[in-house]
Amino acid sequence: MEFNTFVGQLTTRKTECLVLAYGPKGLDCPDLQQIDQATEGLIARLIKKGDIKYADGGMQLINEPKGLAAERLLIFSAGKETLNEQSCLNTLSSLAGHLTKLPIKSASISLEGIAVNERERPWLAQQLARKLGEAAYLFNPFKAREKKPVSLGKVSLICPSKQGLGPVKKALLLGSAIANGVNRSRELGDLPGNICTPSYLSSQAKELADQYPNLDCKVLSEKQMEALGMGSLLSVTAGTEQPAKMIVLEYKGGKTRDKPIVLVGKGVTFDSGGISLKPGAGMDEMKYDMCGAASVIGTLSAIAEYKLPLNVTGIIPAVENMPSGTATRPGDVVTSMSGQTIEVLNTDAEGRLILCDALTYAGRYKPSFVIDIATLTGACVMALGSHASGLLSNDDTLAQALESAGQTSGDRVWRLPLWNEYDKQLKSNFADMANIGGREAGTITAACFLGRFTKNYRWAHLDIAGTAWNSGTNKGATGRPVPLLVEFLAGQVSQ
């Protein structure tokens, strides 16, 4: 989708759909006043009749409006009160969903009627571009009768003057890049496990690197991982015929001497639970156990498109977890790349077994800090539902920056503690640690496990088990936390 800005007379604007917000200012909004006068009081009459009102998600479409050059006029409710970020994002999502269903190729949108707490026009522009791009996502490669793709291809954001247009244009580009990254992540997540294997993920990473000159990709084989001593990771892939891959994407947008930020994404392309087999109901959703990996690919795609001036390295341990005669058994002891030994009490707690070796490997890059992203624990779903991702960190400044980025993007997180009392639950009689810490505080003990491999750098863990995909009739990957990660990375540049 192509985005640009427009400054000028709305009444003579030739577009397939002119879109205006009906918000707290009511008809005192200059753009609504201009259109009301051109249409001989039509807006005021519709408000008086109740056709236009402050209803959540309210839309009023007027075809061939008299007095306007636009083919259609769409008035959408922006609420009677000043909005917070989340309410505004919900409103823009409703608008995007409506617009992308119309048989139009272009639209001109004014957001002057919207009022958002402590947010300026560039923030609104970014979120509009992002929500429109996300609404255009269509996944149906396996349907005999495919839905038609969204026809909307060009969107102009109407601005009151040329003053301050630079930041608005940059915000539109960033929002569009985030949407493209989100959709790339969603597509990888929605693919079935028989297609999206570790080898497929590595091929997609290589294709992404081929698109951008400052993005490089290398893939470690099982033989190379064995030579590095990644016994923990390889124990997870022991029961499948699909070879494991360690994917490394290096984005070099900053100065050569700048330390990279490292993103580590869990890439279990299908998780049966291994010998600790999962229940059959809902097991199909375990194709989403690689959404951490997908979010890393989506984030690197977005920052490469936007040309963010940072050095960012993505590390993706990609495996399939299956039961067989060669699979790791409960009670087995494995040795991680760090040299620490692990008693595997539950083969369904496999994500931490691949992440710990990837986190050790991340230390080789002398990172400024490391963030891992993983669909790690059902306990996080029970604690936070689908609204917020779990955040745990060994660095308060890093955690606060992620919390702030989550609030700005609407892709929110909630921080949980990393206390020694929880870490003690990982005690094993036969190894340096067990891979599970019992039923209590499962999200925290999983992070405590990872924390044992991140002592040498600043680190944060994002548990996205509740936010990476939707279940039920709207089943599908969400692309989270790509908006959070890109917002956070962009914030690092501004600092």
Side-chain angles (χ1 to χ4, degrees), residues 11-12 15 17 68 87 152 171 191 195 198-199 226 238 257 287 299 305 355 389 403 412 440 447 449-450 461 471-472:
T11 56
T12 57
T15 179
C17 191
L68 302 182
S87 298
L152 181 61
L191 285 169
I195 292 177
S199 296
E226 186 177 0
R257 67 175 182 274
K287 69 178 185 177
T299 297
E305 178 183 336
L355 287 171
S389 299
E403 287 174 315
R412 294 178 290 184
E440 296 179 350
F449 178 94
L450 298 178
H461 163 63
S471 298

Side-chain angles (χ1 to χ4, degrees), residues 207-227:
E207 285 185 18
L208 177 63
D210 288 340
Q211 293 179 33
Y212 299 101
N214 54 353
L215 187 59
D216 298 318
C217 178
K218 67 178 179 180
V219 180
L220 304 184
S221 66
E222 287 190 357
K223 187 174 181 180
Q224 289 171 303
M225 286 185 273
E226 186 177 0

Side-chain angles (χ1 to χ4, degrees), residues 86 371-373 380 384-393 398-416 460-464 467 480-485 488:
Q86 204 62 37
I371 303 169
D372 79 76
I373 309 100
C380 193
L384 301 176
S386 61
H387 304 295
S389 299
L391 166 65
L392 300 101
S393 179
L398 174 57
Q400 288 164 7
L402 285 166
E403 287 174 315
S404 177
Q407 190 63 35
T408 300
S409 65
D411 188 0
R412 294 178 290 184
V413 297
W414 190 260
R415 192 178 183 187
L416 297 168
H461 163 63
L462 295 175
D463 192 327
I464 61 169
T467 57
R480 295 178 68 181
V482 171
L484 161 69
L485 292 171
F488 168 78

Side-chain angles (χ1 to χ4, degrees), residues 131-150:
K131 289 300 181 181
L132 282 168
E134 289 177 4
Y137 175 72
L138 180 65
F139 183 84
N140 56 9
F142 309 113
K143 286 184 174 286
R145 296 181 180 180
E146 292 193 11
K147 296 178 183 178
K148 292 183 179 179
V150 170

Side-chain angles (χ1 to χ4, degrees), residues 11 65 72 86 161 181 185 188 237 262 266 280 282 336 361 399 404 435 443 445 476 489:
T11 56
R72 299 170 182 82
Q86 204 62 37
S161 70
S185 175
L188 289 171
T237 195
V262 177
K266 174 186 171 185
S336 68
Y361 187 78
S404 177
N435 77 321
T443 300
T445 56
L489 293 171

Side-chain angles (χ1 to χ4, degrees), residues 68-320:
L68 302 182
E71 296 176 21
R72 299 170 182 82
L73 174 63
L74 177 66
I75 309 294
F76 73 95
S77 171
K80 193 173 185 178
E81 307 294 336
T82 299
L83 303 174
N84 59 34
E85 294 99 336
Q86 204 62 37
S87 298
C88 181
L89 288 168
N90 292 339
T91 297
L92 293 178
S93 291
S94 296
L95 172 62
H98 192 84
L99 269 181
T100 51
K101 289 181 175 65
L102 293 178
I104 58 174
K105 295 181 180 179
S106 67
S108 296
I109 303 173
S110 168
L111 299 178
E112 294 306 302
I114 292 182
V116 187
N117 276 326
E118 301 179 358
R119 297 296 177 190
E120 303 297 332
R121 188 173 290 113
W123 182 86
L124 269 173
Q126 178 181 323
Q127 306 314 322
L128 175 68
R130 172 189 151 197
K131 289 300 181 181
L132 282 168
E134 289 177 4
Y137 175 72
L138 180 65
F139 183 84
N140 56 9
F142 309 113
K143 286 184 174 286
R145 296 181 180 180
E146 292 193 11
K147 296 178 183 178
K148 292 183 179 179
V150 170
S151 60
L152 181 61
K154 292 185 178 181
V155 176
S156 297
L157 178 62
I158 298 168
C159 298
S161 70
K162 292 183 179 180
Q163 186 176 359
L165 272 189
V168 170
K169 289 179 178 180
K170 288 183 68 176
L172 287 170
L173 291 174
L174 181 57
S176 179
I178 291 172
N180 292 337
V182 166
N183 291 344
R184 187 185 291 267
S185 175
R186 291 163 80 184
E187 183 174 6
L188 289 171
D190 284 334
L191 285 169
N194 63 322
I195 292 177
C196 188
T197 63
S199 296
Y200 182 87
L201 269 184
S202 63
S203 70
Q204 292 301 296
K206 288 176 181 176
E207 285 185 18
L208 177 63
D210 288 340
Q211 293 179 33
Y212 299 101
N214 54 353
L215 187 59
D216 298 318
C217 178
K218 67 178 179 180
V219 180
L220 304 184
S221 66
E222 287 190 357
K223 187 174 181 180
Q224 289 171 303
M225 286 185 273
E226 186 177 0
L228 289 168
M230 295 185 178
S232 183
L233 185 154
L234 293 173
S235 74
V236 177
T237 195
T240 180
E241 294 183 5
Q242 293 289 341
K245 305 288 183 181
M246 177 71 81
I247 303 163
V248 181
L249 282 162
E250 295 183 57
Y251 171 73
K252 299 172 182 176
K255 298 176 182 177
T256 304
R257 67 175 182 274
D258 291 346
K259 292 182 178 180
I261 297 166
V262 177
L263 306 178
V264 178
K266 174 186 171 185
V268 181
T269 57
F270 189 80
D271 180 22
S272 69
I275 297 299
S276 306
L277 193 67
K278 291 178 179 289
M283 196 195 286
D284 64 289
E285 294 187 4
M286 287 302 98
K287 69 178 185 177
Y288 293 117
D289 213 18
M290 41 62 68
C291 283
S295 72
V296 170
I297 291 174
T299 297
L300 284 163
S301 167
I303 65 173
E305 178 183 336
Y306 187 67
K307 299 179 181 177
L308 204 64
L310 280 178
N311 294 332
V312 182
T313 297
I315 299 175
I316 297 169
V319 304
E320 186 179 68

